[in-house]
Amino acid sequence: MSSQQSTQTMKPATAAKKLGVYLPATPASFQEGVVSRAELNELQAAPPQWLRELRENGPHPRPVVAAKLGVSIAGLARGGVTEPLTTAQIEALKQEQPQWLEKERATQAEVRREGARIKKKNAEREDR
């Protein structure tokens, strides 16, 4: 094994992003250290209690909030959501269905439809 492989580490922010969690909500020991590739794999394979709770209850980082609401990150910003949200806050937004959320979901659905249309068109072009 090369020394580069054995010392592959990442900053806590990178590891948190790969785990889909909000870094400031992680334990201090996670935030202050470095995470090896092996440690990241272990966290993904057998998440400790703190990681399971964060994934279930939040607070969640913006990419996770956006995905749970079915909008883009930019759509969150346009809706005034700039802070991490808990699962309960996300569920409350889904129940309230504010106008901005309906609009951003429709925009996101249109973006997906257009992407699928372009992909299909390109596939047809390649088949010719």
Side-chain angles (χ1 to χ4, degrees):
M1 181 186 257
S2 76
S3 62
Q4 185 179 18
Q5 285 179 322
S6 64
T7 60
Q8 263 190 330
T9 60
M10 62 192 82
K11 295 178 183 174
T14 303
K17 188 174 185 177
K18 289 180 181 290
L19 292 169
V21 295
Y22 182 57
L23 180 62
T26 62
S29 59
F30 181 85
Q31 293 178 41
E32 295 164 1
V34 293
V35 180
S36 71
R37 174 62 62 187
E39 289 169 327
L40 178 70
N41 291 342
E42 179 63 26
L43 287 169
Q44 290 172 324
Q49 184 63 33
W50 66 263
L51 182 54
R52 289 193 306 271
E53 286 180 19
L54 269 181
R55 285 178 167 170
E56 186 174 328
N57 301 314
H60 303 288
R62 287 182 308 162
V64 174
V65 173
K68 287 180 179 278
L69 290 174
V71 300
S72 66
I73 294 173
L76 283 180
R78 286 189 292 269
V81 178
T82 57
E83 297 297 315
L85 298 180
T86 64
T87 300
Q89 291 169 314
I90 293 168
E91 291 305 315
L93 271 175
K94 287 179 178 180
Q95 293 297 315
E96 293 168 18
Q97 280 292 322
Q99 187 174 357
W100 71 266
L101 182 56
E102 288 183 36
K103 180 177 185 268
E104 292 300 334
R105 281 181 161 173
T107 299
Q108 190 71 2
E110 181 57 36
V111 166
R112 286 190 189 113
R113 276 193 297 275
E114 182 64 9
R117 184 191 69 77
I118 291 169
K119 186 175 179 180
K120 182 180 176 188
K121 184 177 177 181
N122 289 342
E124 288 170 355
R125 187 177 297 146
E126 288 177 15
D127 287 344
R128 283 189 221 150

